Amino acid sequence: MTEMENQFPIVQVMDGDGHIVDASYHLTESFIKEMYSKMLRARTLDKKSVNLQRQGRIGTYAPFEGQEAAQVGSASALEEGDWMFPTYRDHAATLTFGHSVSTIMLYWKGRVEGCVPPEGKNIFPPAVPIATQLPHATGAALAEKRKGTDRVAIAYFGDGATSEGDFHEGLNFASVFKAPVVFFNQNNGYAISVPIEKQMNSKTIAQKGLAYDMDAIRVDGNDVLAVYFETQKAIEKARNGEGPTLIEAVTWRYGAHTTADDPSKYRNQELSLEKRDKIDPLLRLERYMKKQGFWDDAWKDQVAKECDLEIEQAVEEMENFPEPDVNDLFDHVFKEPTWTIKKQKEAYLSQKRGETV
Amino acid sequence: MTTKAMTEVKTNKLTLVQAVTDGMRTMLSEHDDILVLGEDVGQNGGVFRATEGLVHEFGEDRIIDTPLAEAGIIGTSIGLAINGFRPIAEMQFLGFVYPAYEQIMTHASRIRSRTMSKFSVPMVIRAPYGGGIRAPEIHSDSVEALFTHMPGIKVVVPSNPYDAKGLLIAAIEDPDPVLFMEPMRSYRAFKSDVPEGKYTVEIGKAATLAEGDDVTVIAWGNMVSVAQKAVEEMTKQGVSCELLDLRTLYPLDRETIVASVKKTGRVVICHEAPETGGVGNDVMALINDEAFLYLRAPMSKVAGFDTPFPFFALEEEYLPTPSRVSHAIKEAVTF
Ligand SMILES: Cc1ncc(C[n+]2csc(CCOP(=O)(O)OP(=O)(O)O)c2C)c(N)n1
Ligand SMILES: [Mg+2]
């Protein structure tokens, strides 16, 4: 191991076989089952979305299968009123934090409505331009600090994102202003086709916190318990006015970068099969539960059935959603449309009416 | 003007994106100082397969997978360019060029000026752009005007495979920075004959795709096929249309545009970028300066709206259509 890997060891609570390696947490059956159910719900959404894309019922989709523990564990540590700044791959996080399933799907159906969070949920639209959301999280967190609340912000981003300037600016600002923000990195080893060894010479992402004198920690991103507890600590610290934290969750995406990508071009997919068996976030909880004697096939089937039902209902909702309204194209650019937009809208709509007569 | 393909030169039926690859391959094999840099351009061959196979032919030292940072890609390319290399830098999508805008605006485009030609940047920036392929948000931006407005960089946009290869080679040979925009919707829309080996399509020259007397229709990139459909329809209805594919947006082909307008007296410009501040305005300004007295009707634009490019469920409402162009042609000839 290199010096940095020694300095930032991968924190685990439970290993891939479902053994507890850190016994300092009190783990209840209901908590374990809750985490399992949340992850299964997310996985069900993900698999369904990939299928919908294949059937042409939604557009290009970015799957997250394999990253459920990182997203569900971290999002579960947030409280109502906190802020979430996700990317295009973080639907398990937004779902867990209270986004609606059908809205998440609408986003991939090319509907702008997919960006609008449910009432009372501070969920920013997914960041498509890489790393742009980090400074936003810093700013939103700073706003909470200035308002005197104890709310925090969390920003999600990938390993590739740490190469962009916005990553460094977001971290530096947060550090300088002691903003109550958690930078939650999912290091899934790839930025599309580029493996992390080509992305950076840094041996860890956590070490990038050193440059900004920021607390940083590296966790097993497939261990929902480690992710949950470490995120919770970082959030508590932020709430107490002790500033930002960088969390590196080491994980793996099983599938393609998006449904438009072919991973066999750049990596051996056998590796994903191996990871599914060795480090899968759901499988390790199942193994743990079996050891503890509270796994029950009937319970699992029941949870799976509920997830299927919920997701199927959401698909129906998505597909029965009102047709897109062309007025929306023009009406939300400014609070008050400019004369240019009004003129363009009128000209277009009247021409359109004329054509269809 | 186009370098004539010699009769004995072999041609291949290629798509536009294959022609781009072919252009790079042709130049890479002849010149060691040419490098390709970008995200996923190596092993993956680019997200659109534009650099497919190049890393195997030319090696990782020349076909370089960069870290994910557009400012880094362009800034590093500038450094390479002022010191003896000719980088071809790929922006994965034109909609992700913005982090690099500073490097292009404050350095690439003005180093020659700032150093009285002591330093120059013979760099090509390749970038897929434009709507119509149901891409996720931001991916469809058509922001050529951000660059035609920028002093010190040329902007070219092919609409077909032949021009793509010829213009790309001309851009690589150009001593100054060139933004080479690749119309995504046209990437695999059709194949046409592309000569093997090196040939160029001169930067600054438009192509006249149809000759006519009543109206000049002007388009580029993805909008050429849209304008073409409108022209075919209006020709059937008895309107004699001239169709210009600009191919270069800066500098404009003054001669071809002005001569055409002097002949037809009517102008319809079609672009998918927002109307305000679009390149259509520069075309109009040129015509105003050089052919005003020949106009028989107000010039018009069929363009994107002054709105962000919409999510794809509404993109067909945003993008100019043949019927919108036909409508504008009718208005021009019945004015
Ligand atoms: C500024 C910018 N450049 C390029 C892209 C194209 N792109 C989309 S995702 C991606 C890779 C991101 O990798 P990483 O940050 O590791 O996140 P992951 O996709 O693995 O979750 C790239 C290059 C983009 N969206 N934004
Ligand atoms: Mg990644």
Side-chain angles (χ1 to χ4, degrees):
Chain A
M1 284 223 289
T2 61
E3 192 188 327
M4 281 298 149
E5 286 166 300
N6 278 325
Q7 189 169 337
F8 296 99
I10 296 180
V11 174
Q12 255 188 353
V13 173
M14 178 186 292
D15 70 13
D17 294 327
H19 289 118
I20 296 296
V21 293
D22 175 356
S24 51
Y25 301 98
H26 176 62
L27 303 172
T28 63
E29 177 177 345
S30 71
F31 176 69
I32 297 288
K33 284 189 165 167
E34 180 195 328
M35 287 297 165
Y36 185 90
S37 307
K38 281 179 177 173
M39 291 197 290
L40 188 60
R41 181 172 176 244
R43 183 165 288 187
T44 310
L45 161 67
D46 191 67
K47 288 193 151 155
K48 186 73 202 180
S49 302
V50 171
N51 280 332
L52 290 173
Q53 190 281 331
R54 288 203 182 116
Q55 296 163 4
R57 289 154 78 186
I58 60 173
T60 304
Y61 172 76
F64 56 74
E65 199 193 6
Q67 301 183 206
E68 294 89 347
Q71 296 186 27
V72 169
S74 55
S76 297
L78 293 168
E79 281 171 18
E80 198 74 23
D82 290 337
W83 285 83
M84 178 177 279
F85 293 83
T87 77
Y88 48 84
R89 201 188 301 290
D90 298 317
H91 311 303
T94 59
L95 182 71
T96 304
F97 194 45
H99 217 321
S100 99
V101 185
S102 59
T103 310
I104 291 171
M105 289 177 169
L106 279 173
Y107 180 82
W108 296 104
K109 208 182 171 204
R111 298 295 299 267
V112 67
E113 292 88 342
C115 280
V116 185
E119 205 49 51
K121 300 285 174 196
N122 296 326
I123 304 174
F124 209 60
V128 170
I130 302 295
T132 48
Q133 72 279 24
L134 277 83
H136 304 157
T138 297
L142 193 57
E144 294 297 342
K145 183 176 164 179
R146 293 199 55 138
K147 290 187 207 169
T149 76
D150 68 351
R151 290 174 185 174
V152 304
I154 188 166
Y156 289 87
F157 56 101
D159 40 296
T162 67
S163 294
E164 289 278 10
D166 280 354
F167 163 79
H168 298 274
E169 296 178 31
L171 260 68
N172 189 43
F173 272 55
S175 165
V176 167
F177 299 131
K178 238 184 173 186
V181 52
V182 176
F183 296 107
F184 192 90
N185 175 262
Q186 286 169 84
N187 174 1
N188 62 9
Y190 281 86
I192 308 188
S193 72
V194 179
I196 190 161
E197 306 78 47
K198 278 189 168 179
Q199 188 70 237
M200 62 191 75
N201 273 335
S202 321
K203 294 297 176 288
T204 72
I205 283 168
Q207 76 195 66
K208 299 189 185 204
L210 286 176
Y212 303 101
D213 212 9
M214 183 183 299
D215 288 342
I217 184 148
R218 211 168 183 225
V219 300
D220 179 345
N222 284 27
D223 174 0
V224 71
L225 304 175
V227 172
Y228 174 77
F229 292 121
E230 291 305 330
T231 309
Q232 201 178 43
K233 285 179 208 166
I235 288 174
E236 275 324 296
K237 212 187 71 191
R239 286 198 209 289
N240 293 332
E242 293 162 55
T245 304
L246 170 62
I247 298 177
E248 173 186 358
V250 181
T251 181
W252 189 264
R253 77 166 142 79
Y254 293 148
H257 166 72
T258 67
T259 48
D261 169 56
D262 172 13
S264 70
K265 289 277 293 182
Y266 54 83
R267 74 180 191 193
N268 184 352
Q269 280 296 93
E270 291 287 310
L271 215 57
S272 283
L273 286 178
E274 226 172 85
K275 303 236 180 210
R276 270 181 195 277
D277 181 47
K278 291 217 170 91
I279 62 164
D280 186 66
L282 283 102
L283 204 53
R284 78 169 77 185
L285 278 196
E286 179 179 330
R287 286 170 180 155
Y288 170 77
M289 285 190 267
K290 281 179 174 157
K291 283 194 238 297
Q292 296 295 306
F294 53 73
W295 176 264
D296 175 357
D297 283 336
W299 169 78
K300 153 77 198 285
D301 291 346
Q302 182 57 32
V303 175
K305 224 170 93 185
E306 281 165 20
C307 292
D308 286 341
L309 197 70
E310 185 197 0
I311 303 299
E312 284 305 333
Q313 273 172 359
V315 172
E316 231 184 273
E317 236 177 88
M318 175 212 27
E319 295 196 320
N320 292 325
F321 201 77
E323 288 296 303
D325 180 357
V326 66
N327 288 290
D328 291 336
L329 181 56
F330 301 95
D331 294 348
H332 300 284
V333 183
F334 292 105
K335 185 150 188 279
E336 275 303 320
T338 56
W339 67 262
T340 56
I341 295 173
K342 277 191 221 155
K343 185 179 159 201
Q344 289 167 4
K345 177 179 168 182
E346 276 157 28
Y348 178 62
L349 293 183
S350 72
Q351 200 180 315
K352 204 172 137 111
R353 279 192 298 271
E355 275 162 16
T356 47
V357 197
Chain B
M1 236 182 296
T2 296
T3 329
K4 281 248 160 61
M6 309 241 284
T7 34
E8 66 266 33
V9 168
K10 215 179 147 246
T11 64
N12 296 303
K13 290 250 182 258
L14 301 183
T15 60
L16 195 154
V17 67
Q18 287 170 332
V20 168
T21 317
D22 194 32
M24 282 190 279
R25 180 182 288 116
T26 301
M27 293 304 278
L28 282 158
S29 48
E30 286 180 23
H31 306 280
D32 286 342
D33 61 341
I34 297 173
L35 308 173
V36 172
L37 297 91
E39 296 154 8
D40 306 284
V41 299
Q43 186 61 33
N44 198 41
V47 294
F48 287 104
R49 303 290 176 254
T51 53
E52 177 91 48
L54 297 183
V55 73
H56 306 300
E57 275 173 71
F58 304 103
E60 291 192 6
D61 287 344
R62 294 185 64 199
I63 312 298
I64 305 168
D65 269 332
T66 66
L68 205 179
E70 290 72 17
I73 295 169
I74 299 300
T76 305
S77 295
I78 291 171
L80 286 160
I82 57 159
N83 197 12
F85 287 88
R86 286 188 285 170
I88 304 171
E90 178 180 297
M91 296 286 101
Q92 203 158 79
F93 291 84
L94 189 58
F96 299 135
V97 73
Y98 310 116
Y101 199 77
E102 176 177 36
Q103 287 289 347
I104 307 171
M105 181 72 180
T106 62
H107 293 291
S109 63
R110 70 177 89 191
I111 282 171
R112 182 184 288 285
S113 295
R114 289 174 68 216
T115 61
M116 301 170 77
S117 292
K118 168 84 179 151
F119 293 115
S120 60
V121 179
M123 164 177 69
V124 178
I125 303 171
R126 294 182 37 245
Y129 85 97
I133 63 159
R134 291 164 58 89
E137 50 172 340
I138 322 286
H139 292 70
S140 303
D141 285 10
S142 182
V143 289
E144 61 269 24
L146 296 183
F147 296 91
T148 54
H149 186 69
M150 183 188 281
I153 184 168
K154 295 172 185 169
V155 180
V156 302
V157 194
S159 70
N160 61 66
Y162 180 89
D163 287 351
K165 180 173 174 184
L167 271 176
L168 181 59
I169 293 176
I172 294 169
E173 291 192 323
D174 196 278
D176 289 303
V178 178
L179 174 66
F180 184 84
M181 294 171 48
E182 299 173 7
M184 260 188 278
R185 185 160 65 160
S186 311
Y187 257 161
R188 297 178 217 295
F190 59 95
K191 288 187 174 185
S192 60
D193 284 333
V194 176
E196 286 186 356
K198 193 177 141 186
Y199 69 93
T200 57
V201 169
E202 194 181 338
I203 294 177
K205 295 292 175 201
T208 306
L209 301 185
E211 292 193 22
D213 299 317
D214 295 335
V215 58
T216 301
V217 180
I218 299 175
W220 54 89
N222 288 316
M223 290 301 109
V224 170
S225 64
V226 171
Q228 208 147 22
K229 287 197 188 93
V231 162
E232 279 160 22
E233 174 57 31
M234 293 315 293
T235 305
K236 272 189 219 147
Q237 296 188 25
V239 181
S240 172
C241 302
E242 183 136 309
L243 175 60
L244 303 186
D245 172 359
L246 286 189
R247 299 196 292 198
T248 297
L249 302 182
Y250 190 91
L252 290 172
D253 182 350
R254 167 179 160 187
E255 235 170 82
T256 304
I257 295 169
V258 171
S260 176
V261 176
K262 282 184 175 172
K263 180 171 63 164
T264 65
R266 299 183 186 88
V267 181
V268 171
I269 303 162
C270 175
H271 61 68
E272 58 181 302
E275 186 182 337
T276 297
V279 173
N281 292 359
D282 288 319
V283 176
M284 285 183 167
L286 171 68
I287 294 166
N288 181 69
D289 288 351
E290 312 240 346
F292 180 72
L293 293 177
Y294 294 82
L295 289 176
R296 292 192 270 175
M299 298 181 272
S300 72
K301 285 177 287 183
V302 180
F305 308 117
D306 285 10
T307 70
F309 192 93
F311 280 60
F312 71 72
L314 284 174
E315 73 178 341
E316 297 305 333
E317 304 272 3
Y318 175 94
L319 288 166
T321 55
S323 77
R324 278 173 69 195
V325 178
S326 295
H327 184 86
I329 294 173
K330 272 183 231 163
E331 298 225 303
V333 293
T334 56
F335 177 74

